[in-house]
Amino acid sequence: MVKPKKFGKVLAAGTILASSLILGACSKEDEASSTKAAVDADGKANISWSPILYVATAPNDVIEKKIEEATNTNLTFNWIPDATKDERLIASIASGELDDIISLPSTLVTNSSVRQALKSGVFWEVSKYLDDYPNLKKISEDRRTAASIEGNLYGVPFQKDFARGGVLIRKDWLDNLGMKVPENLDELFEVAKAFTEDDPDGNGKKDTFGWSDRNELRYGSFKTLASYFGVPNGWAVDDNGKFTPEHETDEYMETMKYSRELYKNGYLDQDFAVTSKDDQLQKFAQGKAGIYAGLISITQLKNLAEGINNNVAIVPQNKIAGPDGEYRIWSEGNGVNGLLAFPKSAVKTEEELKAVLQFVNDLINEDVFMLMTGGIKETHYTIDDKDAYTILDNELWQKEVQGFSGSRPSEITYKLTDADPDKQLVNEMISENDEFAVMDPSVPLESPTASERGTELQKLIIDATIKYIMGEIDDKGFKAEVKRWKESGGDQMKKEYEEAYEKSNK
C-alpha cells in the first residue's frame, strides 16, 4: 500500500460541451455587459456577483445595503442555489452572460469543462495583482499554489480551514442508551447499530437509524469514513513520485465494506443514493437519524430542530481513530474552497478588474467580515464582555444574514469565540484538525486528461462505489469498473500527474 503524503453532483462533460464553453464565452467577449465594474461619478463601483446560495432562501437586502456602504459599491447579487450550481454556471459560462464576479466552488473548479474555460482565458489571471491589496496580499503561498492551474491563478482563492471534517452525534441518544462518544471505527459502528435497533428516542417504535447520508460520496459519510480508514485524499504519492488513486488502495476497499455493512443492516439511510443535502439535514433534525458527517453543520442542525426536537443535544467528534490508532481527516482543496473568478466578458478592462479586486479585498475587512458572518451588531448578534459572540435572533439571522456567510472570501482571517459552547467546540476541533489533515497532492498539478475527462472518470468510480455499498456489485464487479476507469483515461491521468509532480519538484 502506498501511504498518502500529508501535503498537501458530478456532471459528465465531454469535448463538445467544453468547446461550447470556450467558444460561447469568447463570442460574448465584445457584447455589452448589463452591469460593469466601472466606477460612477460618485466614486462607487457597480459590481454584479453570482454567489452560491447554500441555504434554502436568499437573504433580503438588509445586509447587502450595509456591505455597499462599507465597500463604497453598488451591488447586484444574483444568487445561484447550491443544488443547481453546476448546471447554471456551466450554462452561463457557455453563453458568456456572466456577472463581474463568479463564485466557483472547488467542485466546479475541478469540473472538466469549467477547468478548460479557466485555462482558455475566459477569466482574468490575477496573481500579479494580489500583492497590491493589503488583505489579498496575506493569502499564503500554499493556498495560492493550491488554487492555481499550471502556475496561473484565475481568481481570488476562497480561504478556509484545512479540514472541517468530523461527525455530529445525538448526545441525548447516547445518554439514553448509556453509551459514550465513539473514539474509533468499531465504536462508531456500534453507535450506528444502537441508534437503529435500540430505540434511542424511547418512543417504543423502530423509527430511527444511525447515519443520515446523501447522494454523494464527498460530503456524505463515505469520504469522512475513508479518512478514518487511512484512504489517501484523492491520490497518494510515494517517495519516488509515483501516484496511486485512492480507489486502488486496500483502505478504500475496507471503507466500502464497512459502509456496505452499515447499509445492509439498515444503520445507514436506505435512501441515501436519492437523498439531497436538505433532506439529509431534515432527517437528522427531525429525529430520524443520529449521526451526521460534517462539523460545520452543528448550528444549522440545531436551528432546524427548534420546534421539532427542542430537546436535541449534539456532540461533535473530530477524533475517530483508524485501524492503526491514528487520526486523519481529508482536506478539501488544501485550504482553498474554490475561486472568486472575474470573466473578461463582464470585466473588460484592467481598471474594472482593479475595482473588483478592491471590493474583494474590502470584503475581508473585519467590519464586512462581521456583516457577512453575524450581521448587524445588537440587531443580529452581540459580543459580551468576555468577547463571546452570540446570535440574538436565529430566525432573523437566518433570514437576513446566513446566506452571506457561505460567500466570505476568507473564513480564517478572524476567529470568533462563540457563546454557544457546542459551536465553539466545533471551531476548536476544526483548528485542531490542521494537525492531522491529509492533503490532496494533485490539487496544484495539471493533467490534460483530468481537465478533459476527469469528471466523467470520477463518476465511474462514484457510481461503482455506491453500487458496491448497496450490494449491487461485489469485489469482482468493482474491480471491473476500476479496470474500465484505467482504460478510459485513468492510467493516462496518473502518468500526467506523475510528470507534473516531477516537473514541479525540480
Side-chain angles (χ1 to χ4, degrees):
M1 157 62 199
V2 181
K3 288 188 176 182
K5 277 195 175 184
K6 286 192 176 183
F7 98 86
K9 244 127 323 161
V10 181
L11 297 179
T15 304
I16 294 176
L17 178 55
S19 299
S20 71
L21 288 175
I22 298 167
L23 294 175
C26 292
S27 69
K28 299 288 183 177
E29 184 93 16
D30 298 324
E31 291 189 9
S33 176
S34 59
T35 52
K36 294 179 179 296
V39 178
D40 283 348
D42 61 0
K44 291 186 176 181
N46 299 308
I47 295 175
S48 60
W49 184 1
S50 295
I52 308 301
L53 183 66
Y54 294 103
V55 293
T57 306
N60 59 27
D61 63 357
V62 171
I63 300 303
E64 179 180 336
K65 289 177 179 178
K66 291 292 185 180
I67 295 173
E68 287 181 326
E69 292 174 13
T71 59
N72 196 36
T73 55
N74 297 311
L75 299 176
T76 302
F77 285 89
N78 295 309
W79 295 95
I80 298 177
D82 181 38
T84 60
K85 65 181 182 295
D86 288 23
E87 298 94 326
R88 291 272 298 275
L89 284 170
I90 287 176
S92 294
I93 295 172
S95 70
E97 296 176 356
L98 297 163
D99 286 325
D100 302 315
I101 304 174
I102 308 298
S103 292
L104 294 176
S106 294
T107 52
L108 268 167
V109 173
T110 55
N111 177 281
S112 306
S113 299
V114 174
R115 203 167 179 86
Q116 289 283 20
L118 288 165
K119 291 169 62 179
S120 74
V122 171
F123 297 89
W124 284 87
E125 207 284 341
V126 301
S127 57
K128 69 178 182 179
Y129 299 100
L130 296 189
D131 289 347
D132 295 335
Y133 303 87
N135 292 324
L136 303 183
K137 184 178 182 178
K138 296 175 184 177
I139 300 174
S140 62
E141 285 301 323
D142 56 352
R143 285 185 168 87
R144 294 190 195 198
T145 297
S148 295
I149 300 174
E150 293 185 323
N152 294 310
L153 189 57
Y154 298 108
V156 175
F158 277 105
Q159 300 174 78
K160 65 174 185 175
D161 293 284
F162 283 111
R164 300 183 294 180
V167 290
L168 301 174
I169 305 171
R170 284 289 297 268
K171 177 67 164 57
D172 50 327
W173 286 9
L174 289 174
D175 293 343
N176 290 345
L177 299 174
M179 302 183 78
K180 68 172 187 175
V181 177
E183 297 179 352
N184 57 51
L185 284 163
D186 288 340
E187 291 177 359
L188 186 59
F189 189 94
E190 289 305 311
V191 167
K193 177 182 179 180
F195 281 4
T196 308
E197 298 180 349
D198 297 342
D199 190 23
D201 57 3
N203 68 355
K205 301 177 182 178
K206 191 174 178 61
D207 57 358
T208 60
F209 54 89
W211 280 90
S212 66
D213 208 354
R214 64 181 187 254
N215 56 358
E216 54 184 340
L217 301 183
R218 192 173 182 85
Y219 301 108
S221 67
F222 188 82
K223 186 76 171 177
T224 297
L225 287 171
S227 292
Y228 300 155
F229 271 99
V231 175
N233 187 5
W235 297 80
V237 57
D238 66 17
D239 293 336
N240 296 315
K242 297 300 181 183
F243 275 58
T244 300
E246 60 181 4
H247 55 262
E248 289 190 38
T249 63
D250 293 339
E251 289 81 357
Y252 193 94
M253 181 62 72
E254 289 304 308
T255 307
M256 288 200 301
K257 290 179 178 179
Y258 183 98
S259 297
R260 185 170 62 180
E261 196 68 16
L262 288 171
Y263 182 81
K264 183 178 71 174
N265 288 288
Y267 309 157
L268 177 74
D269 188 348
Q270 298 295 282
D271 297 322
F272 83 94
V274 292
T275 297
S276 67
K277 177 182 178 181
D278 286 344
D279 288 343
Q280 178 197 16
L281 289 163
Q282 287 293 342
K283 288 180 182 182
F284 187 98
Q286 292 168 4
K288 296 178 181 178
I291 308 173
Y292 184 97
L295 295 176
I296 61 170
S297 296
I298 189 167
T299 300
Q300 187 176 8
L301 287 169
K302 289 171 68 174
N303 290 339
L304 286 171
E306 287 183 4
I308 303 173
N309 247 330
N310 290 325
N311 296 320
V312 66
I314 303 173
V315 59
Q317 171 62 300
N318 68 326
K319 289 184 176 178
I320 299 292
D324 59 0
E326 296 291 324
Y327 300 132
R328 305 175 190 84
I329 193 65
W330 67 286
S331 173
E332 181 188 6
N334 298 1
V336 172
N337 193 28
L339 296 170
L340 285 164
F342 318 113
K344 293 178 181 177
S345 59
V347 182
K348 293 180 177 296
T349 67
E350 187 176 50
E351 179 186 3
E352 292 178 5
L353 175 66
K354 289 180 178 180
V356 175
L357 287 171
Q358 183 64 57
F359 168 70
V360 174
N361 175 85
D362 293 347
L363 290 178
I364 306 176
N365 289 339
E366 186 172 6
D367 59 337
V368 186
F369 171 86
M370 286 308 304
L371 283 171
M372 299 179 76
T373 302
I376 301 169
K377 191 174 182 181
E378 305 307 333
T379 297
H380 300 100
Y381 76 95
T382 189
I383 295 180
D384 65 20
D385 55 3
K386 296 181 180 179
D387 292 328
Y389 162 82
T390 304
I391 296 294
L392 294 173
D393 185 330
N394 274 322
E395 185 176 346
L396 183 65
W397 179 83
Q398 290 173 48
K399 178 182 177 181
E400 298 185 342
V401 185
Q402 187 179 18
F404 290 100
S405 64
S407 294
R408 295 169 298 175
S410 175
E411 299 177 10
I412 64 172
T413 305
Y414 307 101
K415 294 290 185 181
L416 298 172
T417 299
D418 204 293
D420 178 352
D422 292 338
K423 183 60 166 63
Q424 183 56 26
L425 180 55
V426 161
N427 293 341
E428 292 168 4
M429 286 182 175
I430 288 173
S431 294
E432 187 179 44
N433 279 352
D434 286 358
E435 299 175 23
F436 40 92
V438 180
M439 307 301 173
D440 181 349
S442 72
V443 166
L445 304 178
E446 187 61 15
S447 157
T449 301
S451 296
E452 294 168 9
R453 302 200 303 280
T455 303
E456 60 188 90
L457 288 170
Q458 185 183 34
K459 191 172 187 303
L460 281 176
I461 300 302
I462 291 172
D463 290 347
T465 302
I466 290 174
K467 288 178 181 177
Y468 188 96
I469 292 170
M470 296 176 70
E472 295 178 7
I473 59 174
D474 57 11
D475 291 23
K476 183 178 179 181
F478 182 77
K479 289 176 181 177
E481 291 302 293
V482 171
K483 183 174 184 290
R484 187 155 73 99
W485 176 88
K486 292 161 69 75
E487 294 172 347
S488 299
D491 276 346
Q492 182 62 25
M493 185 162 53
K494 172 178 177 289
K495 177 184 177 184
E496 290 163 358
Y497 276 139
E498 290 174 348
E499 291 171 349
Y501 182 78
E502 181 180 9
K503 183 179 179 181
S504 68
N505 283 276
K506 282 185 177 179

